[in-house]
mmCIF file of all heavy atoms in Angstrom:
data_model
loop_
_atom_site.group_PDB
_atom_site.id
_atom_site.type_symbol
_atom_site.label_atom_id
_atom_site.label_comp_id
_atom_site.label_asym_id
_atom_site.label_seq_id
_atom_site.Cartn_x
_atom_site.Cartn_y
_atom_site.Cartn_z
ATOM 1 N N THR A 1 0.823 -1.215 0.000
ATOM 2 C CA THR A 1 0.000 0.000 0.000
ATOM 3 C C THR A 1 0.853 1.259 0.000
ATOM 4 O O THR A 1 0.331 2.357 -0.206
ATOM 5 C CB THR A 1 -0.930 0.026 1.229
ATOM 6 O OG1 THR A 1 -0.146 0.112 2.428
ATOM 7 C CG2 THR A 1 -1.798 -1.220 1.294
ATOM 8 N N GLN A 2 2.161 1.119 0.248
ATOM 9 C CA GLN A 2 3.062 2.270 0.279
ATOM 10 C C GLN A 2 3.866 2.419 -1.007
ATOM 11 O O GLN A 2 4.568 3.417 -1.190
ATOM 12 C CB GLN A 2 4.060 2.128 1.437
ATOM 13 C CG GLN A 2 3.435 1.954 2.807
ATOM 14 C CD GLN A 2 4.482 1.570 3.852
ATOM 15 O OE1 GLN A 2 5.434 0.850 3.549
ATOM 16 N NE2 GLN A 2 4.297 2.040 5.072
ATOM 17 N N VAL A 3 3.744 1.453 -1.912
ATOM 18 C CA VAL A 3 4.695 1.352 -3.014
ATOM 19 C C VAL A 3 4.581 2.507 -4.007
ATOM 20 O O VAL A 3 5.558 2.837 -4.696
ATOM 21 C CB VAL A 3 4.527 -0.016 -3.719
ATOM 22 C CG1 VAL A 3 3.297 -0.038 -4.602
ATOM 23 C CG2 VAL A 3 5.777 -0.399 -4.479
ATOM 24 N N TYR A 4 3.429 3.143 -4.084
ATOM 25 C CA TYR A 4 3.263 4.256 -5.035
ATOM 26 C C TYR A 4 3.468 5.618 -4.358
ATOM 27 O O TYR A 4 3.358 6.657 -5.014
ATOM 28 C CB TYR A 4 1.858 4.214 -5.661
ATOM 29 C CG TYR A 4 0.741 4.494 -4.698
ATOM 30 C CD1 TYR A 4 0.239 5.785 -4.521
ATOM 31 C CD2 TYR A 4 0.194 3.481 -3.927
ATOM 32 C CE1 TYR A 4 -0.769 6.048 -3.625
ATOM 33 C CE2 TYR A 4 -0.812 3.730 -3.030
ATOM 34 C CZ TYR A 4 -1.300 5.017 -2.883
ATOM 35 O OH TYR A 4 -2.295 5.264 -1.961
ATOM 36 N N GLN A 5 3.764 5.613 -3.053
ATOM 37 C CA GLN A 5 3.864 6.866 -2.298
ATOM 38 C C GLN A 5 5.293 7.222 -1.920
ATOM 39 O O GLN A 5 5.508 8.023 -1.023
ATOM 40 C CB GLN A 5 3.015 6.771 -1.019
ATOM 41 C CG GLN A 5 1.520 6.764 -1.256
ATOM 42 C CD GLN A 5 0.756 6.762 0.054
ATOM 43 O OE1 GLN A 5 0.930 5.885 0.901
ATOM 44 N NE2 GLN A 5 -0.088 7.757 0.253
ATOM 45 N N HIS A 6 6.274 6.666 -2.576
ATOM 46 C CA HIS A 6 7.659 6.895 -2.176
ATOM 47 C C HIS A 6 8.032 8.378 -2.208
ATOM 48 O O HIS A 6 8.718 8.865 -1.302
ATOM 49 C CB HIS A 6 8.607 6.091 -3.073
ATOM 50 C CG HIS A 6 8.579 4.623 -2.789
ATOM 51 N ND1 HIS A 6 9.425 3.716 -3.399
ATOM 52 C CD2 HIS A 6 7.811 3.885 -1.943
ATOM 53 C CE1 HIS A 6 9.182 2.500 -2.944
ATOM 54 N NE2 HIS A 6 8.197 2.573 -2.073
ATOM 55 N N ALA A 7 7.592 9.075 -3.225
ATOM 56 C CA ALA A 7 7.945 10.495 -3.334
ATOM 57 C C ALA A 7 7.317 11.296 -2.199
ATOM 58 O O ALA A 7 7.976 12.144 -1.575
ATOM 59 C CB ALA A 7 7.501 11.052 -4.690
ATOM 60 N N GLU A 8 6.030 11.039 -1.910
ATOM 61 C CA GLU A 8 5.336 11.748 -0.823
ATOM 62 C C GLU A 8 5.986 11.445 0.517
ATOM 63 O O GLU A 8 6.213 12.342 1.333
ATOM 64 C CB GLU A 8 3.866 11.335 -0.790
ATOM 65 C CG GLU A 8 2.997 11.991 -1.848
ATOM 66 C CD GLU A 8 2.507 13.363 -1.411
ATOM 67 O OE1 GLU A 8 2.774 13.758 -0.259
ATOM 68 O OE2 GLU A 8 1.884 14.048 -2.225
ATOM 69 N N ASP A 9 6.277 10.169 0.782
ATOM 70 C CA ASP A 9 6.875 9.780 2.056
ATOM 71 C C ASP A 9 8.270 10.387 2.226
ATOM 72 O O ASP A 9 8.623 10.866 3.312
ATOM 73 C CB ASP A 9 6.949 8.253 2.163
ATOM 74 C CG ASP A 9 5.575 7.617 2.301
ATOM 75 O OD1 ASP A 9 4.680 8.275 2.845
ATOM 76 O OD2 ASP A 9 5.407 6.465 1.853
ATOM 77 N N ALA A 10 9.055 10.386 1.159
ATOM 78 C CA ALA A 10 10.403 10.972 1.232
ATOM 79 C C ALA A 10 10.316 12.467 1.485
ATOM 80 O O ALA A 10 11.138 13.028 2.233
ATOM 81 C CB ALA A 10 11.153 10.687 -0.059
ATOM 82 N N ARG A 11 9.324 13.126 0.888
ATOM 83 C CA ARG A 11 9.156 14.575 1.081
ATOM 84 C C ARG A 11 8.885 14.900 2.548
ATOM 85 O O ARG A 11 9.377 15.906 3.076
ATOM 86 C CB ARG A 11 8.003 15.086 0.212
ATOM 87 C CG ARG A 11 7.696 16.575 0.358
ATOM 88 C CD ARG A 11 6.536 16.993 -0.518
ATOM 89 N NE ARG A 11 5.314 16.295 -0.178
ATOM 90 C CZ ARG A 11 4.514 16.641 0.840
ATOM 91 N NH1 ARG A 11 4.846 17.655 1.622
ATOM 92 N NH2 ARG A 11 3.407 15.959 1.080
ATOM 93 N N ARG A 12 8.111 14.051 3.233
ATOM 94 C CA ARG A 12 7.778 14.287 4.640
ATOM 95 C C ARG A 12 8.848 13.763 5.592
ATOM 96 O O ARG A 12 8.779 13.992 6.794
ATOM 97 C CB ARG A 12 6.440 13.617 4.980
ATOM 98 C CG ARG A 12 5.220 14.306 4.435
ATOM 99 C CD ARG A 12 3.975 13.715 5.084
ATOM 100 N NE ARG A 12 3.909 12.279 4.857
ATOM 101 C CZ ARG A 12 3.236 11.709 3.866
ATOM 102 N NH1 ARG A 12 2.599 12.460 3.003
ATOM 103 N NH2 ARG A 12 3.215 10.399 3.738
ATOM 104 N N GLY A 13 9.800 13.007 5.065
ATOM 105 C CA GLY A 13 10.826 12.429 5.928
ATOM 106 C C GLY A 13 10.401 11.123 6.575
ATOM 107 O O GLY A 13 11.027 10.679 7.541
ATOM 108 N N ASP A 14 9.354 10.471 6.048
ATOM 109 C CA ASP A 14 8.901 9.186 6.574
ATOM 110 C C ASP A 14 9.642 8.068 5.848
ATOM 111 O O ASP A 14 9.421 7.824 4.665
ATOM 112 C CB ASP A 14 7.389 9.015 6.360
ATOM 113 C CG ASP A 14 6.583 9.985 7.204
ATOM 114 O OD1 ASP A 14 7.099 10.428 8.239
ATOM 115 O OD2 ASP A 14 5.434 10.289 6.815
ATOM 116 N N ARG A 15 10.510 7.379 6.573
ATOM 117 C CA ARG A 15 11.283 6.286 5.967
ATOM 118 C C ARG A 15 10.489 4.995 6.111
ATOM 119 O O ARG A 15 10.767 4.159 6.977
ATOM 120 C CB ARG A 15 12.648 6.165 6.637
ATOM 121 C CG ARG A 15 13.502 7.424 6.552
ATOM 122 C CD ARG A 15 13.922 7.701 5.133
ATOM 123 N NE ARG A 15 14.801 6.646 4.617
ATOM 124 C CZ ARG A 15 15.211 6.575 3.362
ATOM 125 N NH1 ARG A 15 14.787 7.467 2.484
ATOM 126 N NH2 ARG A 15 16.013 5.609 2.979
ATOM 127 N N THR A 16 9.478 4.823 5.268
ATOM 128 C CA THR A 16 8.636 3.640 5.343
ATOM 129 C C THR A 16 9.412 2.401 4.916
ATOM 130 O O THR A 16 10.454 2.494 4.263
ATOM 131 C CB THR A 16 7.400 3.792 4.440
ATOM 132 O OG1 THR A 16 7.837 3.899 3.076
ATOM 133 C CG2 THR A 16 6.600 5.024 4.816
ATOM 134 N N LEU A 17 8.876 1.239 5.288
ATOM 135 C CA LEU A 17 9.546 -0.005 4.923
ATOM 136 C C LEU A 17 9.647 -0.154 3.413
ATOM 137 O O LEU A 17 10.690 -0.573 2.881
ATOM 138 C CB LEU A 17 8.785 -1.195 5.515
ATOM 139 C CG LEU A 17 9.383 -2.578 5.212
ATOM 140 C CD1 LEU A 17 10.770 -2.697 5.801
ATOM 141 C CD2 LEU A 17 8.470 -3.679 5.733
ATOM 142 N N SER A 18 8.574 0.185 2.699
ATOM 143 C CA SER A 18 8.591 0.076 1.244
ATOM 144 C C SER A 18 9.656 0.981 0.632
ATOM 145 O O SER A 18 10.345 0.594 -0.317
ATOM 146 C CB SER A 18 7.213 0.422 0.670
ATOM 147 O OG SER A 18 7.209 0.326 -0.737
ATOM 148 N N LEU A 19 9.807 2.180 1.192
ATOM 149 C CA LEU A 19 10.819 3.106 0.690
ATOM 150 C C LEU A 19 12.219 2.549 0.921
ATOM 151 O O LEU A 19 13.108 2.676 0.066
ATOM 152 C CB LEU A 19 10.655 4.465 1.377
ATOM 153 C CG LEU A 19 11.520 5.617 0.867
ATOM 154 C CD1 LEU A 19 11.273 5.875 -0.616
ATOM 155 C CD2 LEU A 19 11.231 6.889 1.673
ATOM 156 N N ARG A 20 12.416 1.929 2.068
ATOM 157 C CA ARG A 20 13.724 1.349 2.375
ATOM 158 C C ARG A 20 14.021 0.135 1.493
ATOM 159 O O ARG A 20 15.164 -0.078 1.080
ATOM 160 C CB ARG A 20 13.774 0.932 3.850
ATOM 161 C CG ARG A 20 13.750 2.096 4.831
ATOM 162 C CD ARG A 20 15.057 2.866 4.824
ATOM 163 N NE ARG A 20 16.183 2.066 5.247
ATOM 164 C CZ ARG A 20 16.568 1.910 6.500
ATOM 165 N NH1 ARG A 20 15.904 2.526 7.469
ATOM 166 N NH2 ARG A 20 17.606 1.160 6.805
ATOM 167 N N LEU A 21 13.000 -0.653 1.202
ATOM 168 C CA LEU A 21 13.188 -1.865 0.412
ATOM 169 C C LEU A 21 13.330 -1.570 -1.075
ATOM 170 O O LEU A 21 13.939 -2.347 -1.813
ATOM 171 C CB LEU A 21 12.013 -2.828 0.618
ATOM 172 C CG LEU A 21 11.883 -3.489 1.984
ATOM 173 C CD1 LEU A 21 10.561 -4.232 2.084
ATOM 174 C CD2 LEU A 21 13.047 -4.443 2.243
ATOM 175 N N GLY A 22 12.757 -0.450 -1.507
ATOM 176 C CA GLY A 22 12.690 -0.167 -2.932
ATOM 177 C C GLY A 22 11.480 -0.861 -3.533
ATOM 178 O O GLY A 22 10.862 -1.727 -2.900
ATOM 179 N N ILE A 23 11.129 -0.509 -4.756
ATOM 180 C CA ILE A 23 9.908 -1.051 -5.346
ATOM 181 C C ILE A 23 10.008 -2.556 -5.557
ATOM 182 O O ILE A 23 9.135 -3.329 -5.133
ATOM 183 C CB ILE A 23 9.593 -0.320 -6.672
ATOM 184 C CG1 ILE A 23 9.197 1.136 -6.367
ATOM 185 C CG2 ILE A 23 8.477 -1.033 -7.424
ATOM 186 C CD1 ILE A 23 8.915 1.973 -7.585
ATOM 187 N N ARG A 24 11.072 -3.025 -6.189
ATOM 188 C CA ARG A 24 11.208 -4.459 -6.406
ATOM 189 C C ARG A 24 11.365 -5.215 -5.095
ATOM 190 O O ARG A 24 10.781 -6.294 -4.909
ATOM 191 C CB ARG A 24 12.405 -4.740 -7.314
ATOM 192 C CG ARG A 24 12.211 -4.280 -8.756
ATOM 193 C CD ARG A 24 13.387 -4.696 -9.615
ATOM 194 N NE ARG A 24 13.214 -4.278 -11.004
ATOM 195 C CZ ARG A 24 14.068 -4.544 -11.979
ATOM 196 N NH1 ARG A 24 15.182 -5.218 -11.708
ATOM 197 N NH2 ARG A 24 13.826 -4.137 -13.216
ATOM 198 N N GLY A 25 12.131 -4.650 -4.191
ATOM 199 C CA GLY A 25 12.311 -5.278 -2.883
ATOM 200 C C GLY A 25 11.002 -5.410 -2.127
ATOM 201 O O GLY A 25 10.791 -6.391 -1.387
ATOM 202 N N THR A 26 10.121 -4.434 -2.299
ATOM 203 C CA THR A 26 8.809 -4.496 -1.642
ATOM 204 C C THR A 26 8.021 -5.702 -2.127
ATOM 205 O O THR A 26 7.384 -6.411 -1.338
ATOM 206 C CB THR A 26 8.007 -3.208 -1.927
ATOM 207 O OG1 THR A 26 8.703 -2.094 -1.357
ATOM 208 C CG2 THR A 26 6.616 -3.285 -1.332
ATOM 209 N N PHE A 27 8.068 -5.968 -3.422
ATOM 210 C CA PHE A 27 7.330 -7.106 -3.971
ATOM 211 C C PHE A 27 7.929 -8.432 -3.504
ATOM 212 O O PHE A 27 7.195 -9.394 -3.224
ATOM 213 C CB PHE A 27 7.290 -7.022 -5.494
ATOM 214 C CG PHE A 27 6.221 -6.107 -6.003
ATOM 215 C CD1 PHE A 27 6.418 -4.731 -6.041
ATOM 216 C CD2 PHE A 27 5.001 -6.604 -6.419
ATOM 217 C CE1 PHE A 27 5.428 -3.875 -6.493
ATOM 218 C CE2 PHE A 27 3.999 -5.771 -6.867
ATOM 219 C CZ PHE A 27 4.211 -4.392 -6.909
ATOM 220 N N VAL A 28 9.244 -8.492 -3.410
ATOM 221 C CA VAL A 28 9.880 -9.716 -2.912
ATOM 222 C C VAL A 28 9.478 -9.954 -1.458
ATOM 223 O O VAL A 28 9.091 -11.073 -1.072
ATOM 224 C CB VAL A 28 11.412 -9.617 -3.037
ATOM 225 C CG1 VAL A 28 12.081 -10.807 -2.349
ATOM 226 C CG2 VAL A 28 11.823 -9.559 -4.506
ATOM 227 N N PHE A 29 9.564 -8.912 -0.640
ATOM 228 C CA PHE A 29 9.197 -9.019 0.772
ATOM 229 C C PHE A 29 7.735 -9.433 0.919
ATOM 230 O O PHE A 29 7.401 -10.319 1.715
ATOM 231 C CB PHE A 29 9.444 -7.680 1.476
ATOM 232 C CG PHE A 29 9.075 -7.684 2.933
ATOM 233 C CD1 PHE A 29 9.997 -8.074 3.894
ATOM 234 C CD2 PHE A 29 7.808 -7.288 3.346
ATOM 235 C CE1 PHE A 29 9.657 -8.083 5.247
ATOM 236 C CE2 PHE A 29 7.462 -7.295 4.689
ATOM 237 C CZ PHE A 29 8.383 -7.692 5.637
ATOM 238 N N ALA A 30 6.849 -8.795 0.141
ATOM 239 C CA ALA A 30 5.423 -9.103 0.213
ATOM 240 C C ALA A 30 5.159 -10.553 -0.165
ATOM 241 O O ALA A 30 4.388 -11.262 0.496
ATOM 242 C CB ALA A 30 4.642 -8.164 -0.697
ATOM 243 N N GLY A 31 5.806 -11.014 -1.227
ATOM 244 C CA GLY A 31 5.607 -12.389 -1.657
ATOM 245 C C GLY A 31 6.042 -13.396 -0.603
ATOM 246 O O GLY A 31 5.346 -14.388 -0.340
ATOM 247 N N LEU A 32 7.177 -13.144 0.050
ATOM 248 C CA LEU A 32 7.668 -14.050 1.083
ATOM 249 C C LEU A 32 6.738 -14.060 2.301
ATOM 250 O O LEU A 32 6.443 -15.132 2.854
ATOM 251 C CB LEU A 32 9.085 -13.630 1.507
ATOM 252 C CG LEU A 32 10.181 -13.829 0.460
ATOM 253 C CD1 LEU A 32 11.503 -13.240 0.955
ATOM 254 C CD2 LEU A 32 10.347 -15.304 0.114
ATOM 255 N N ALA A 33 6.274 -12.876 2.713
ATOM 256 C CA ALA A 33 5.389 -12.797 3.877
ATOM 257 C C ALA A 33 4.055 -13.476 3.595
ATOM 258 O O ALA A 33 3.512 -14.199 4.439
ATOM 259 C CB ALA A 33 5.175 -11.336 4.271
ATOM 260 N N LEU A 34 3.493 -13.245 2.408
ATOM 261 C CA LEU A 34 2.221 -13.865 2.053
ATOM 262 C C LEU A 34 2.360 -15.381 1.943
ATOM 263 O O LEU A 34 1.459 -16.128 2.363
ATOM 264 C CB LEU A 34 1.704 -13.277 0.742
ATOM 265 C CG LEU A 34 1.302 -11.794 0.802
ATOM 266 C CD1 LEU A 34 1.003 -11.275 -0.601
ATOM 267 C CD2 LEU A 34 0.094 -11.594 1.716
ATOM 268 N N ALA A 35 3.482 -15.840 1.393
ATOM 269 C CA ALA A 35 3.709 -17.280 1.290
ATOM 270 C C ALA A 35 3.844 -17.910 2.674
ATOM 271 O O ALA A 35 3.313 -18.999 2.936
ATOM 272 C CB ALA A 35 4.965 -17.551 0.460
ATOM 273 N N ALA A 36 4.552 -17.218 3.582
ATOM 274 C CA ALA A 36 4.697 -17.722 4.949
ATOM 275 C C ALA A 36 3.339 -17.795 5.642
ATOM 276 O O ALA A 36 3.031 -18.766 6.347
ATOM 277 C CB ALA A 36 5.649 -16.825 5.737
#
């Protein structure tokens, strides 16, 4: 849910998990968590 808001979050200084993981990293993380 954060993957399209990277620019907004960075502007406010919110270092969200998705921003830290990057877009591709977010999908990898999501896939692993959902599979678990």
